[in-house]
Amino acid sequence: MTFLPEGQLYLAAVFLVAFLESLPVVGLLVPGSTLIVFAGFLVVHGQGNLLSLALWSMAGAFLGDLLSYELGRRYGSTILRLRIFQRYRRWVVESELFFVNHGGKSIFFARFLGPIRGITPFIAGLSGMPQRAFIGYTAVSAILWGISYPGIGYLGGSSWQKAQSLSARFGLVILLALLATIIHYLVKKKLDSNRQKY
């Protein structure tokens, strides 16, 4: 803690972590959720305050998602023409089709799932998801993320191991909610298909 910046500089660092984690490719290299949980843990030990931490986390996550979306919307097609992306073309096409039907749910859940967090807003922009809908979903997910991850660290403030355990449980809850959403969608699709047959 001796080497951590103080005041506005510390909050700027929190903002930057949340912002960078939301960008394609860069997001894979920045363990933003872990660092934000750790920042919440440090609040208990006198580093910053929880409200400011939550607000700057939300802002970083929201603006990072917006930039990722705009990159996909404006430059996505050009970027995907690069040779390195050609082998993944089929995956991108399937992702675009998925966004046509499930864009909102994807934006919401991706915020809490590390490996796809940065690329999901990019694909949303590339696939032409309406900007107003995107902003609505990403605002809700950024607010919940900005409250929950610093909050987990704060609640586990007596020990870092407790904070990590709470974080893992929260991740499991999100995963179960995602699985329930997928199962609901598949069952609904099957029922609709059966109705069309009759």
Side-chain angles (χ1 to χ4, degrees):
M1 286 178 64
T2 306
F3 298 101
L4 289 173
E6 297 287 337
Q8 294 300 314
L9 191 57
Y10 177 69
L11 293 174
V14 167
F15 171 88
L16 189 61
V17 164
F19 180 81
L20 291 176
E21 192 188 38
S22 303
L23 301 180
V25 183
V26 178
L28 294 172
L29 307 174
V30 179
S33 295
T34 302
L35 291 173
I36 297 300
V37 169
F38 188 62
F41 169 77
L42 291 179
V43 169
V44 178
H45 302 277
Q47 181 70 23
N49 71 77
L50 192 59
L51 178 59
S52 296
L53 176 62
L55 291 173
W56 283 91
S57 299
M58 290 175 204
F62 179 71
L63 293 175
D65 278 358
L66 282 184
L67 178 58
S68 183
Y69 172 86
E70 285 299 321
L71 288 172
R73 190 170 70 89
R74 296 185 183 194
Y75 308 111
S77 299
T78 304
I79 291 171
L80 292 177
R81 281 198 290 271
L82 297 173
R83 178 178 285 183
I84 193 171
F85 291 105
Q86 288 303 307
R87 69 177 78 175
Y88 303 108
R89 184 66 189 162
R90 182 180 169 196
W91 179 82
V92 172
V93 169
E94 289 175 359
S95 299
E96 288 182 86
L97 291 173
F98 184 83
F99 262 98
V100 170
N101 297 314
H102 309 286
K105 290 189 276 294
S106 302
I107 293 299
F108 179 81
F109 282 113
R111 165 55 46 197
F112 300 92
L113 302 172
I116 61 170
R117 183 176 296 118
I119 196 67
T120 305
F122 180 85
I123 296 291
L126 175 67
S127 64
M129 182 179 184
Q131 190 177 53
R132 182 176 293 181
F134 174 82
I135 288 173
Y137 281 108
T138 203
V140 170
S141 66
I143 289 168
L144 292 177
W145 185 84
I147 293 171
S148 58
Y149 279 88
I152 287 168
Y154 185 81
L155 291 174
S158 59
S159 77
W160 177 235
Q161 287 75 20
K162 183 179 177 183
Q164 287 178 307
S165 175
L166 288 171
S167 182
R169 288 179 196 171
F170 182 73
L172 183 60
V173 169
I174 293 294
L175 188 59
L176 290 173
L178 176 59
L179 288 174
T181 303
I182 292 170
I183 291 168
H184 175 264
Y185 165 71
L186 292 174
V187 169
K188 187 173 182 294
K189 186 177 179 182
K190 181 71 175 173
L191 290 173
D192 289 345
S193 176
N194 288 340
R195 285 196 197 105
Q196 288 175 2
K197 287 179 182 177
Y198 301 107

